[in-house]
Amino acid sequence: MSMIFFACVVRVRDGLPLSASTDFYHTQDFLEWKRRLKTLGLRLAQYPGRGSAEGRDFSIHFSSFGDVACMAICSCQCPAAMAFCFLETLWWEFTASYDTTCIGLASRPYAFLEFDSIIQKMKWHFNYVSSSQMESSLEKIHEELKLQPPVVLTLEDTDVANGVMNGHTPMHLEPAPNFRMEPVTALGILSLILNIMCAALNLIRGVHLAEHSLQVAHEEMGNILAFLVPFVACIFQDPGSWFCWLNQTS
């Protein structure tokens, strides 16, 4: 009887999944427990060592050492000693296959997906080999669990509520203030008209000098710029007034 359904290897500091077994269970309950496992994987730094979360049909067990943690979804009939023996063996196999540098530099999920074949072999071994053949290993883990029991998590610890992970303060978004431009006053309209007149005069005098620039010395270019620069300055002096005035007249 299969008691270990799914297993994965996770980097503790950020919850990045490094490898996982190929699962063949697609029931709604099982998929929900996979979501719980993923959520818990993001919080493993808070729970060093061993831990469990049990439900009606499934349970999650994890074992964390250093920056690598192994997690599994098991049947509720699976003894805790067997689950943790499986996770410890999986941890040793993974850390023996990949050094800490490779693990630390992994930047994408399931960067070591080829390790899936080893996970599948280990799952089959623990699911179908009689416990008498693993008696010594199980007794060792059983004694360790007596001396240091695993952390027991509730289902709420593995849930995600409204897309926000438990233990994190949700963000409260406030609507941005609505700013409206004030209408242009009579004094503003008068200032706008004077700016237009000054700009037009500077433009006319600048163009007039430009027509004669080809026949005079280069120093006359300074005089041309002396009129064109104020023209541009008048245009951009109060763009807000221009915009408001155009809106009112349209």
Side-chain angles (χ1 to χ4, degrees):
M1 177 181 178
S2 180
M3 290 191 289
I4 301 173
F5 299 115
F6 176 79
C8 66
V9 183
V10 177
R11 189 166 62 191
V12 173
R13 72 169 185 263
D14 54 6
L16 181 73
L18 301 174
S19 188
S21 62
T22 304
D23 61 89
F24 303 96
Y25 309 97
H26 303 287
T27 64
Q28 189 63 35
D29 288 343
F30 180 76
L31 295 177
E32 177 62 28
W33 276 87
K34 284 191 68 175
R35 285 190 288 268
R36 293 174 187 270
L37 181 141
K38 182 178 179 181
T39 301
L40 183 58
L42 297 173
R43 306 176 61 191
L44 285 178
Q46 302 177 24
Y47 308 109
R50 298 184 177 114
S52 300
E54 296 185 359
R56 186 182 63 181
D57 299 320
F58 300 100
S59 60
I60 294 175
H61 301 282
F62 63 88
S63 184
S64 174
F65 300 97
D67 199 30
V68 175
C70 296
M71 309 179 72
I73 299 177
C74 305
S75 166
C76 285
Q77 285 74 38
C78 180
M82 178 178 287
F84 287 115
C85 185
F86 165 76
L87 293 175
E88 183 173 308
T89 307
L90 182 63
W91 186 90
W92 281 110
E93 288 286 343
F94 185 83
T95 54
S97 302
Y98 307 99
D99 58 33
T100 54
T101 302
C102 294
I103 295 171
L105 293 177
S107 58
R108 58 183 177 85
Y110 306 105
F112 309 106
L113 192 58
E114 67 277 3
F115 190 72
D116 166 55
S117 60
I118 297 178
I119 300 177
Q120 297 289 15
K121 291 178 182 178
M122 291 182 57
K123 276 177 55 184
W124 186 92
H125 178 77
F126 277 83
N127 282 331
Y128 298 106
V129 173
S130 62
S131 57
S132 60
Q133 299 182 34
M134 301 181 289
E135 186 174 355
S136 60
S137 299
L138 292 176
E139 286 182 358
K140 172 179 173 292
I141 296 296
H142 189 69
E143 291 299 322
E144 290 180 0
L145 295 179
K146 280 185 178 180
L147 295 174
Q148 189 174 2
V151 176
V152 178
L153 305 178
T154 63
L155 295 183
E156 287 75 15
D157 292 324
T158 62
D159 279 337
V160 176
N162 296 324
V164 180
M165 193 165 57
N166 291 336
H168 289 251
T169 304
M171 295 177 61
H172 298 283
L173 302 179
E174 296 181 358
N178 186 17
F179 294 104
R180 295 185 62 184
M181 290 187 176
E182 296 292 334
V184 181
T185 62
L187 184 60
I189 295 176
L190 178 60
S191 175
L192 181 62
I193 294 174
L194 292 177
N195 280 332
I196 294 174
M197 293 176 62
C198 291
L201 289 174
N202 284 322
L203 178 62
I204 292 172
R205 297 177 70 179
V207 171
H208 178 70
L209 286 175
E211 292 176 350
H212 297 82
S213 63
L214 297 177
Q215 302 176 2
V216 296
H218 288 287
E219 57 266 17
E220 294 296 330
M221 293 300 296
N223 295 330
I224 298 173
L225 293 176
F227 291 104
L228 292 180
V229 170
F231 162 71
V232 176
C234 288
I235 292 296
F236 293 99
Q237 181 177 5
D238 196 1
S241 298
W242 283 79
F243 180 75
C244 294
W245 182 74
L246 290 174
N247 279 345
Q248 288 183 343
T249 55
S250 61

